[in-house]
Amino acid sequence: MKEWPKMHTTLGQFPDDSINILTRVDENERFQEMAGYGLALTHASAHNMLQIKYSNHSQYMELLHDLFACEEMSTLDKYEAKNESFKYETSDMSCISVLRIPISATEFIPGDNELAWWTHDDNNFDWTLDKVNIDSAMNTTVAVLKDILQFRPNIKLFAVPNTAPAWMKTSWGDNKYVAWTCGELVEEHFPLYADFLMKVLQLYAAQGISFYRLILQQRPYEENQDVPQMQMSADSQVRLASLLFERGIDAFDLKIIAHDGDWDKIDEAVGIMKGAGKAIAGVAFQCQGGDIRLQDELHTNFTDKEFHVSKCSGFGEANFTNNFAWAMDYLYISGPRNWASSVMHYNLMLDEDSGPHQGGCGWCRGALTLVKEDSGYSIVKNEEYWGIHLMSKWLRPGARRVSTEVLFRYDDNVCVDAISFRNVDGSTVMVAANQCEASQWFAVQRATDYFDFDLPVGYSLFYWPEFIA
């Protein structure tokens, strides 16, 4: 948090000749409500976190506090009452507000081989759905979510299936690998699958886990990627959403999100929006192809729909400078500027071998890396963690993006950017990114007030506790 320089008053565009960059923040011009910034709690991530819990419970609770507690929350007192060794610092709180939760196996699960993949009903031809259960998640994601909810009871959870039960798909047969990784939903099984999803949501709700959004299908236009997968066309997504809507999915107080593909599949997203009606609230995007600015074009034509950046993974070895700069420019700032209500990195925590994983990405990097030590576990905080920490720390539920205009006196200064949000309590948060080679002297203007500041290379967070009309 930067110390505030002396405030001035100006009516001109640039306060004086020494200022080359002016950022104008107008809290009266408000845009989309933010769900927030977050991560994906895959079953591998939950498995890794539970290794810490079983090894060192205090370390586990400190980790949850670091990730999910907020400054104004009262859970600190609750845990200090149980164990006086829990001493938390406010500066450690990330206040993460959204999580992506798989409700079938992904490639990121514990197990010995690909055939460890599962859904919530692998009892072949269970036409009555009497055997639907969430047992496979009880000792991973469900167990960790129950702990997270003690710190962040209002966290927004996105439920995402990778596939329907294999026996409901066109790929079902003797080759189990093909059955898991390929195929579409059998035409006559659409109503059955809608009933299945409703039952799965009921079972999670019975565990105290309520979802904020249901993303219909992970990467629905691909197959045979060495992961549990199911193809689902734009028309099929609209059909499934309509069946769920007819079955009263709104009783769960959640909305349906479709697409969950890359920006280069924009035609599919347009097709979904055109047929969405009331059943589909919006679309989600992943970051492996295309241009995020296409979200702005979509919003122009579908102003009543939501947009989310639902999955973006780090890859390979950490390279903080380059990776953080890319994420800041392309996700954290450009995401909301192009109407994203949430931005999520994939995999909260992986081990040193990018796992555990069964197939799929063997080089993905988690926001956190679990390192096995002789005396227990240590945790490495990667650039994805620090990015989400920076963006979510002072963002509160119900915050809205507000107008943030960065003006440049000279073209060679176009390496500074910023984005701002207004919280419901009247406070405003601005994150400024300086990706120039040196610090930049710039001014920030709100209404008729401004301050000038030598913005260092890197990333700075500014906080106004009160709204200026």
Side-chain angles (χ1 to χ4, degrees):
M1 185 73 66
K2 302 299 181 186
E3 294 295 329
W4 287 114
K6 182 179 179 181
M7 299 300 291
H8 308 280
T9 299
T10 181
L11 296 178
Q13 177 165 305
F14 288 92
D16 57 58
D17 291 340
S18 68
I19 303 298
N20 293 327
I21 304 170
L22 173 65
T23 299
R24 285 176 167 170
V25 179
D26 183 358
E27 290 116 315
N28 289 303
E29 189 175 3
R30 302 169 193 171
F31 305 106
Q32 78 273 24
E33 181 176 328
M34 295 296 296
Y37 294 84
L39 301 164
L41 182 67
T42 59
H43 299 94
S45 294
H47 170 83
N48 288 332
M49 293 174 73
L50 289 171
Q51 301 312 299
I52 300 173
K53 182 177 183 179
Y54 303 147
S55 172
N56 186 330
H57 189 263
S58 294
Q59 182 185 15
Y60 173 72
M61 298 309 292
E62 289 169 2
L63 171 63
L64 293 183
H65 178 272
D66 181 344
L67 293 168
F68 300 106
C70 300
E71 183 178 14
E72 73 275 20
M73 295 183 68
S74 61
T75 48
L76 174 60
D77 296 333
K78 181 189 301 182
Y79 283 110
E80 284 186 338
K82 290 182 178 180
N83 187 333
E84 293 183 359
S85 67
F86 294 145
K87 300 297 183 183
Y88 301 132
E89 296 294 334
T90 298
S91 60
D92 293 334
M93 302 179 189
S94 296
C95 199
I96 288 173
S97 56
V98 291
L99 284 176
R100 179 185 175 108
I101 308 296
I103 55 171
S104 71
T106 68
E107 71 269 41
F108 290 102
I109 59 170
D112 298 327
N113 54 59
E114 287 84 352
L115 296 184
W117 294 334
W118 52 265
T119 70
H120 287 314
D121 190 353
D122 297 321
N123 301 282
N124 299 342
F125 314 120
D126 178 22
W127 306 119
T128 60
L129 301 178
D130 291 334
K131 299 179 180 178
V132 176
N133 66 83
I134 60 171
D135 294 350
S136 297
M138 289 299 293
N139 293 323
T140 52
T141 52
V142 171
V144 174
L145 279 172
K146 288 182 176 182
D147 292 334
I148 289 172
L149 289 171
Q150 296 182 64
F151 285 94
R152 199 76 161 94
N154 60 348
I155 195 165
K156 292 177 169 60
L157 305 177
F158 288 68
V160 192
N162 261 49
T163 179
W167 53 272
M168 293 188 189
K169 296 163 61 178
T170 57
S171 54
W172 176 251
D174 293 336
N175 188 325
K176 296 299 185 288
Y177 180 83
V178 171
W180 280 110
T181 61
C182 301
E184 303 172 85
L185 197 61
V186 172
E187 184 72 17
E188 57 266 30
H189 291 349
F190 271 81
L192 181 68
Y193 186 48
D195 291 337
F196 164 82
L197 289 173
M198 292 291 289
K199 194 160 187 177
V200 168
L201 294 173
Q202 291 170 355
L203 291 172
Y204 276 94
Q207 295 296 322
I209 296 169
S210 299
F211 292 104
Y212 169 73
R213 296 290 184 264
L214 170 65
I215 297 178
L216 288 176
Q217 174 60 45
Q218 128 86 9
R219 300 192 72 81
Y221 316 113
E222 299 179 1
E223 66 175 356
N224 198 21
Q225 300 292 312
D226 197 29
V227 298
Q229 191 65 38
M230 182 171 71
Q231 288 185 306
M232 188 176 288
S233 68
D235 288 344
S236 293
Q237 291 175 67
V238 171
R239 180 184 176 190
L240 179 59
S242 297
L243 288 168
L244 289 165
F245 197 72
E246 291 170 3
R247 282 157 172 74
I249 196 170
D250 54 333
F252 291 103
D253 196 26
L254 64 73
K255 295 180 180 179
I256 296 172
I257 302 297
H259 189 61
D260 204 37
D262 297 323
W263 295 299
D264 58 10
K265 300 291 186 182
I266 199 70
D267 290 342
E268 288 82 351
V270 170
I272 289 168
M273 295 292 223
K274 287 181 176 179
K278 295 181 179 179
I280 296 177
V283 291
F285 290 93
Q286 299 187 19
C287 71
Q288 296 182 38
D291 190 332
I292 195 170
R293 289 172 294 185
L294 291 170
Q295 290 180 183
D296 185 55
E297 295 180 22
L298 270 181
H299 175 265
T300 300
N301 295 310
F302 303 99
T303 56
D304 61 332
K305 298 301 183 184
E306 298 177 7
F307 301 89
H308 301 272
V309 179
S310 59
K311 179 183 174 185
C312 194
S313 179
F315 295 96
E317 295 183 1
N319 182 333
F320 190 94
T321 300
N322 292 340
N323 293 334
F324 199 104
W326 181 88
M328 176 60 70
D329 179 40
Y330 217 66
L331 299 178
Y332 309 149
I333 292 179
S334 291
R337 180 175 290 155
N338 289 281
W339 301 99
S341 295
S342 68
V343 175
M344 287 175 273
H345 279 299
Y346 202 50
N347 276 300
L348 189 157
M349 177 183 285
L350 295 178
D351 64 24
E352 294 175 280
D353 297 318
S354 298
H357 67 90
Q358 312 303 323
C361 183
W363 56 93
C364 285
R365 182 180 61 249
L368 301 172
T369 299
L370 181 69
V371 179
K372 183 73 170 72
E373 309 279 5
D374 292 339
S375 57
Y377 294 95
S378 62
I379 300 169
V380 176
K381 295 177 177 178
N382 296 319
E383 44 267 51
E384 292 78 16
Y385 163 84
W386 289 112
I388 297 300
H389 175 86
L390 172 68
M391 300 306 299
S392 65
K393 183 174 179 61
W394 296 103
L395 199 65
R396 294 298 181 263
R400 288 189 177 275
R401 177 172 66 93
V402 297
S403 176
T404 310
E405 183 182 17
V406 184
L407 304 174
F408 303 96
R409 189 190 297 272
Y410 307 111
D411 289 343
D412 59 359
N413 295 125
V414 187
C415 45
V416 171
D417 207 350
I419 193 164
S420 305
F421 306 96
R422 182 174 183 265
N423 289 315
V424 294
D425 65 0
S427 63
T428 300
V429 180
M430 183 182 77
V431 175
N434 177 6
Q435 299 189 29
C436 309
E437 294 182 356
S439 64
Q440 300 291 315
W441 201 263
F442 84 136
V444 176
Q445 182 173 341
R446 299 171 67 223
T448 58
D449 289 344
Y450 85 92
F451 69 89
D452 46 55
F453 184 72
D454 190 19
L455 186 70
V457 174
Y459 312 96
S460 301
L461 186 147
F462 300 89
Y463 176 80
W464 290 271
E466 297 179 353
F467 168 60
I468 297 180

Short mmCIF file of all heavy atoms in Angstrom, two decimals, residues 356-386:
data_model
loop_
_atom_site.label_atom_id
_atom_site.label_comp_id
_atom_site.label_asym_id
_atom_site.label_seq_id
_atom_site.Cartn_x
_atom_site.Cartn_y
_atom_site.Cartn_z
N PRO A 356 -0.66 -34.20 -8.13
CA PRO A 356 -0.83 -35.40 -8.93
C PRO A 356 -1.73 -35.17 -10.14
O PRO A 356 -2.67 -34.39 -10.09
CB PRO A 356 -1.48 -36.38 -7.96
CG PRO A 356 -2.18 -35.51 -6.96
CD PRO A 356 -1.34 -34.29 -6.82
N HIS A 357 -1.38 -35.86 -11.25
CA HIS A 357 -2.22 -35.77 -12.44
C HIS A 357 -2.24 -37.12 -13.14
O HIS A 357 -1.26 -37.87 -13.10
CB HIS A 357 -1.75 -34.66 -13.38
CG HIS A 357 -0.41 -34.92 -14.02
ND1 HIS A 357 -0.26 -35.58 -15.22
CD2 HIS A 357 0.84 -34.61 -13.60
CE1 HIS A 357 1.02 -35.65 -15.51
NE2 HIS A 357 1.71 -35.08 -14.56
N GLN A 358 -3.35 -37.40 -13.75
CA GLN A 358 -3.52 -38.64 -14.50
C GLN A 358 -3.82 -38.26 -15.94
O GLN A 358 -4.96 -37.98 -16.31
CB GLN A 358 -4.66 -39.49 -13.91
CG GLN A 358 -4.60 -39.66 -12.40
CD GLN A 358 -3.29 -40.26 -11.94
OE1 GLN A 358 -2.72 -41.13 -12.61
NE2 GLN A 358 -2.80 -39.81 -10.79
N GLY A 359 -2.79 -38.22 -16.78
CA GLY A 359 -2.93 -37.76 -18.15
C GLY A 359 -2.86 -36.24 -18.21
O GLY A 359 -2.55 -35.55 -17.23
N GLY A 360 -3.15 -35.71 -19.38
CA GLY A 360 -3.24 -34.27 -19.54
C GLY A 360 -1.93 -33.54 -19.36
O GLY A 360 -0.86 -34.02 -19.76
N CYS A 361 -1.98 -32.40 -18.71
CA CYS A 361 -0.84 -31.48 -18.63
C CYS A 361 0.15 -31.92 -17.56
O CYS A 361 -0.13 -31.87 -16.37
CB CYS A 361 -1.35 -30.07 -18.32
SG CYS A 361 -0.04 -28.84 -18.26
N GLY A 362 1.34 -32.33 -18.00
CA GLY A 362 2.39 -32.72 -17.09
C GLY A 362 3.38 -31.61 -16.83
O GLY A 362 4.42 -31.83 -16.18
N TRP A 363 3.08 -30.40 -17.31
CA TRP A 363 4.00 -29.28 -17.15
C TRP A 363 3.27 -28.03 -16.62
O TRP A 363 3.81 -26.93 -16.64
CB TRP A 363 4.68 -28.96 -18.47
CG TRP A 363 3.71 -28.68 -19.59
CD1 TRP A 363 3.23 -27.47 -19.98
CD2 TRP A 363 3.08 -29.64 -20.43
NE1 TRP A 363 2.34 -27.60 -21.01
CE2 TRP A 363 2.23 -28.94 -21.32
CE3 TRP A 363 3.15 -31.04 -20.55
CZ2 TRP A 363 1.46 -29.58 -22.29
CZ3 TRP A 363 2.37 -31.68 -21.52
CH2 TRP A 363 1.54 -30.94 -22.37
N CYS A 364 2.03 -28.22 -16.16
CA CYS A 364 1.29 -27.08 -15.62
C CYS A 364 1.87 -26.66 -14.27
O CYS A 364 2.38 -27.48 -13.52
CB CYS A 364 -0.18 -27.44 -15.46
SG CYS A 364 -1.10 -27.49 -17.02
N ARG A 365 1.74 -25.39 -13.97
CA ARG A 365 2.25 -24.83 -12.73
C ARG A 365 1.08 -24.33 -11.89
O ARG A 365 0.22 -23.59 -12.39
CB ARG A 365 3.21 -23.67 -13.02
CG ARG A 365 3.85 -23.04 -11.78
CD ARG A 365 4.79 -21.91 -12.16
NE ARG A 365 4.11 -20.83 -12.86
CZ ARG A 365 4.29 -20.54 -14.15
NH1 ARG A 365 5.14 -21.26 -14.88
NH2 ARG A 365 3.64 -19.54 -14.71
N GLY A 366 1.03 -24.74 -10.64
CA GLY A 366 0.01 -24.24 -9.75
C GLY A 366 0.35 -22.85 -9.23
O GLY A 366 1.50 -22.40 -9.31
N ALA A 367 -0.65 -22.17 -8.70
CA ALA A 367 -0.38 -20.89 -8.05
C ALA A 367 0.57 -21.10 -6.87
O ALA A 367 1.42 -20.25 -6.58
CB ALA A 367 -1.67 -20.24 -7.58
N LEU A 368 0.44 -22.25 -6.21
CA LEU A 368 1.34 -22.66 -5.15
C LEU A 368 1.97 -23.99 -5.53
O LEU A 368 1.34 -24.83 -6.17
CB LEU A 368 0.60 -22.81 -3.83
CG LEU A 368 -0.13 -21.58 -3.29
CD1 LEU A 368 -0.98 -21.95 -2.08
CD2 LEU A 368 0.85 -20.47 -2.94
N THR A 369 3.22 -24.20 -5.12
CA THR A 369 3.88 -25.49 -5.32
C THR A 369 4.16 -26.11 -3.96
O THR A 369 4.77 -25.48 -3.09
CB THR A 369 5.20 -25.32 -6.10
OG1 THR A 369 4.92 -24.77 -7.39
CG2 THR A 369 5.88 -26.68 -6.28
N LEU A 370 3.71 -27.35 -3.79
CA LEU A 370 3.95 -28.09 -2.56
C LEU A 370 5.29 -28.82 -2.67
O LEU A 370 5.52 -29.58 -3.61
CB LEU A 370 2.83 -29.10 -2.33
CG LEU A 370 2.94 -29.96 -1.06
CD1 LEU A 370 2.73 -29.09 0.17
CD2 LEU A 370 1.93 -31.10 -1.09
N VAL A 371 6.16 -28.58 -1.71
CA VAL A 371 7.50 -29.17 -1.71
C VAL A 371 7.63 -30.09 -0.50
O VAL A 371 7.43 -29.67 0.64
CB VAL A 371 8.59 -28.10 -1.68
CG1 VAL A 371 9.98 -28.74 -1.65
CG2 VAL A 371 8.45 -27.16 -2.88
N LYS A 372 7.95 -31.35 -0.75
CA LYS A 372 8.12 -32.32 0.34
C LYS A 372 9.50 -32.15 0.95
O LYS A 372 10.52 -32.19 0.27
CB LYS A 372 7.97 -33.74 -0.20
CG LYS A 372 8.06 -34.82 0.89
CD LYS A 372 6.81 -34.84 1.76
CE LYS A 372 6.78 -36.06 2.67
NZ LYS A 372 7.78 -35.97 3.77
N GLU A 373 9.52 -31.91 2.25
CA GLU A 373 10.76 -31.77 3.00
C GLU A 373 10.90 -32.94 3.97
O GLU A 373 9.94 -33.66 4.25
CB GLU A 373 10.76 -30.45 3.79
CG GLU A 373 10.42 -29.22 2.97
CD GLU A 373 11.60 -28.71 2.18
OE1 GLU A 373 12.67 -29.38 2.21
OE2 GLU A 373 11.48 -27.65 1.55
N ASP A 374 12.11 -33.14 4.50
CA ASP A 374 12.32 -34.21 5.48
C ASP A 374 11.44 -34.03 6.70
O ASP A 374 10.97 -35.01 7.30
CB ASP A 374 13.80 -34.26 5.90
CG ASP A 374 14.70 -34.71 4.77
OD1 ASP A 374 14.19 -35.35 3.83
OD2 ASP A 374 15.90 -34.42 4.83
N SER A 375 11.19 -32.77 7.06
CA SER A 375 10.44 -32.50 8.29
C SER A 375 8.98 -32.16 8.05
O SER A 375 8.26 -31.78 8.97
CB SER A 375 11.10 -31.34 9.04
OG SER A 375 11.16 -30.19 8.21
N GLY A 376 8.53 -32.26 6.79
CA GLY A 376 7.15 -31.91 6.49
C GLY A 376 7.02 -31.33 5.09
O GLY A 376 7.57 -31.89 4.13
N TYR A 377 6.33 -30.21 4.98
CA TYR A 377 6.10 -29.60 3.68
C TYR A 377 6.41 -28.11 3.73
O TYR A 377 6.18 -27.44 4.73
CB TYR A 377 4.64 -29.77 3.24
CG TYR A 377 4.25 -31.20 2.97
CD1 TYR A 377 3.65 -31.98 3.97
CD2 TYR A 377 4.47 -31.78 1.72
CE1 TYR A 377 3.28 -33.29 3.73
CE2 TYR A 377 4.10 -33.09 1.48
CZ TYR A 377 3.52 -33.85 2.48
OH TYR A 377 3.16 -35.14 2.24
N SER A 378 6.93 -27.61 2.62
CA SER A 378 7.04 -26.17 2.43
C SER A 378 6.22 -25.78 1.21
O SER A 378 5.84 -26.63 0.39
CB SER A 378 8.50 -25.75 2.25
OG SER A 378 9.06 -26.35 1.09
N ILE A 379 5.91 -24.50 1.10
CA ILE A 379 5.05 -24.01 0.03
C ILE A 379 5.76 -22.89 -0.70
O ILE A 379 6.24 -21.93 -0.09
CB ILE A 379 3.71 -23.48 0.60
CG1 ILE A 379 2.97 -24.61 1.34
CG2 ILE A 379 2.84 -22.91 -0.51
CD1 ILE A 379 1.79 -24.11 2.15
N VAL A 380 5.84 -23.00 -2.02
CA VAL A 380 6.41 -21.96 -2.86
C VAL A 380 5.27 -21.17 -3.47
O VAL A 380 4.36 -21.73 -4.08
CB VAL A 380 7.29 -22.56 -3.98
CG1 VAL A 380 7.81 -21.46 -4.90
CG2 VAL A 380 8.45 -23.34 -3.38
N LYS A 381 5.30 -19.87 -3.31
CA LYS A 381 4.28 -18.99 -3.87
C LYS A 381 4.74 -18.51 -5.25
O LYS A 381 5.69 -17.74 -5.37
CB LYS A 381 4.02 -17.80 -2.94
CG LYS A 381 3.44 -18.21 -1.60
CD LYS A 381 3.25 -17.02 -0.68
CE LYS A 381 2.58 -17.43 0.63
NZ LYS A 381 2.43 -16.29 1.58
N ASN A 382 4.05 -18.97 -6.28
CA ASN A 382 4.42 -18.63 -7.65
C ASN A 382 3.73 -17.34 -8.09
O ASN A 382 2.92 -16.76 -7.37
CB ASN A 382 4.05 -19.79 -8.58
CG ASN A 382 4.84 -21.05 -8.25
OD1 ASN A 382 6.04 -20.98 -7.96
ND2 ASN A 382 4.17 -22.19 -8.26
N GLU A 383 4.06 -16.91 -9.31
CA GLU A 383 3.55 -15.62 -9.77
C GLU A 383 2.03 -15.57 -9.84
O GLU A 383 1.43 -14.50 -9.62
CB GLU A 383 4.15 -15.26 -11.14
CG GLU A 383 4.18 -16.39 -12.14
CD GLU A 383 5.51 -17.17 -12.12
OE1 GLU A 383 5.94 -17.57 -11.04
OE2 GLU A 383 6.07 -17.36 -13.20
N GLU A 384 1.38 -16.71 -10.11
CA GLU A 384 -0.09 -16.70 -10.16
C GLU A 384 -0.68 -16.41 -8.77
O GLU A 384 -1.70 -15.73 -8.67
CB GLU A 384 -0.61 -18.04 -10.69
CG GLU A 384 -0.31 -18.29 -12.14
CD GLU A 384 1.12 -18.74 -12.41
OE1 GLU A 384 1.82 -19.15 -11.44
OE2 GLU A 384 1.56 -18.67 -13.57
N TYR A 385 -0.04 -16.91 -7.74
CA TYR A 385 -0.50 -16.59 -6.38
C TYR A 385 -0.39 -15.09 -6.14
O TYR A 385 -1.35 -14.45 -5.67
CB TYR A 385 0.32 -17.33 -5.33
CG TYR A 385 0.16 -16.73 -3.95
CD1 TYR A 385 -0.91 -17.09 -3.14
CD2 TYR A 385 1.05 -15.75 -3.49
CE1 TYR A 385 -1.08 -16.50 -1.89
CE2 TYR A 385 0.88 -15.15 -2.24
CZ TYR A 385 -0.18 -15.53 -1.45
OH TYR A 385 -0.37 -14.94 -0.23
N TRP A 386 0.76 -14.51 -6.44
CA TRP A 386 0.96 -13.10 -6.14
C TRP A 386 0.04 -12.21 -6.96
O TRP A 386 -0.41 -11.16 -6.51
CB TRP A 386 2.43 -12.73 -6.35
CG TRP A 386 3.32 -13.31 -5.30
CD1 TRP A 386 4.26 -14.28 -5.47
CD2 TRP A 386 3.32 -12.99 -3.91
NE1 TRP A 386 4.86 -14.60 -4.27
CE2 TRP A 386 4.29 -13.82 -3.30
CE3 TRP A 386 2.60 -12.11 -3.12
CZ2 TRP A 386 4.56 -13.76 -1.93
CZ3 TRP A 386 2.85 -12.05 -1.77
CH2 TRP A 386 3.83 -12.86 -1.18
#
